[in-house]
Amino acid sequence: MAEDRYTTERDTFGRLLADREVWRQAGTIPAAGELTARWLEGRSEYQPGTFAPSIDDETTAIAGELAELNRSGLFTKESQPGVLAEGHSQRAYVTGFCSVESAAALLALSGRTDLVTVAHAPGEASQSSIPVTLQDGEVATVLGSSEGPAGEEQLRDWSEEANDTLALLLAESWYVEVFDPVWGRNGLLLPAVLTALAGVEAGG
């Protein structure tokens, strides 16, 4: 009975604690990416740093592509589709942790397409403000600030949400932010990122 209760127990955010346990063993970017892909596909109800048991409505349309990215060497952290609506505009973007090789491939993407990659080296502290979401003419979301968990607070959060090994690994990983500069455009960003990552896997 106690085991049955445990497998259905949820935290204060509604996340399934049984699904949290597998994160205790995720000590590599591929392992974290696979668990994130499962969450995006609705096969898990726990994602570190996301305080809800499942993806939001906005992510549903791009969840399949994001799952592919997570299985291709990019442990995604944030993303959004492009949107053009009255009073609301978004640039498509994706951010995540990866190896130096993947970061280099995504930087190269900026050289041969009109997509823009901002790459942060491990431990790098950078503060830029690139608007990617406008709400009623006001900037609501920006990119350009490094998100690597190099500080004590970030390390503690990742340790508590996942495990110590992954927290230390992410502190030593590259963090990339890739966005489409054209407001509202969809269909270009995620396939291009996937192609760039596939080149790393193939050794190209």
Side-chain angles (χ1 to χ4, degrees), residues 134-152:
L134 299 177
Q135 185 67 47
D136 296 324
E138 299 292 325
V139 176
T141 308
V142 298
L143 296 182
S145 300
S146 56
E147 294 281 349
E152 247 180 76

Side-chain angles (χ1 to χ4, degrees), residues 157-177:
D157 288 347
W158 277 107
S159 293
E160 290 175 356
E161 289 276 296
N163 64 74
D164 294 342
T165 301
L166 185 61
L168 292 171
L169 173 68
L170 296 182
E172 298 170 354
S173 298
W174 282 70
Y175 183 74
V176 295
E177 303 169 292

Side-chain angles (χ1 to χ4, degrees), residues 1 22 25 31-32 50 56 67-68 89 96 103 109 119 121 132 143 156 159-160 164 203:
M1 292 291 291
V22 290
Q25 309 302 319
T50 302
D56 55 26
E68 287 189 79
S89 302
L109 191 62
V132 289
L143 296 182
R156 186 173 62 251
S159 293
E160 290 175 356
D164 294 342

Side-chain angles (χ1 to χ4, degrees), residues 39-202:
W39 179 73
L40 287 160
E41 293 165 345
R43 297 192 289 131
S44 170
E45 293 185 51
Y46 182 90
Q47 182 69 13
T50 302
F51 303 118
S54 58
I55 62 176
D56 55 26
D57 291 342
E58 181 180 73
T59 305
T60 301
I62 58 174
E65 290 174 293
L66 291 173
E68 287 189 79
L69 297 186
N70 275 281
R71 291 189 171 112
S72 301
L74 182 66
F75 170 32
T76 62
K77 184 172 184 288
E78 297 177 7
S79 62
Q80 71 178 24
V83 172
L84 274 182
E86 187 175 350
H88 185 77
S89 302
Q90 292 182 178
R91 287 168 161 155
Y93 78 80
V94 65
T95 76
F97 298 97
C98 64
S99 66
V100 62
E101 293 83 6
S102 292
L106 294 175
L107 274 173
L109 191 62
S110 287
R112 63 177 185 271
T113 72
D114 60 354
L115 300 175
V116 179
T117 301
V118 181
H120 308 277
E124 180 182 57
S126 57
Q127 295 295 325
S128 304
S129 295
I130 305 165
V132 289
T133 306
L134 299 177
Q135 185 67 47
D136 296 324
E138 299 292 325
V139 176
T141 308
V142 298
L143 296 182
S145 300
S146 56
E147 294 281 349
E152 247 180 76
E153 185 177 346
Q154 292 91 341
L155 277 171
R156 186 173 62 251
D157 288 347
W158 277 107
S159 293
E160 290 175 356
E161 289 276 296
N163 64 74
D164 294 342
T165 301
L166 185 61
L168 292 171
L169 173 68
L170 296 182
E172 298 170 354
S173 298
W174 282 70
Y175 183 74
V176 295
E177 303 169 292
V178 191
F179 70 95
D180 188 335
V182 178
W183 292 93
R185 182 164 64 179
N186 281 301
L188 175 64
L189 175 72
L190 299 181
V193 171
L194 182 61
T195 298
L197 294 173
V200 175
E201 287 194 326

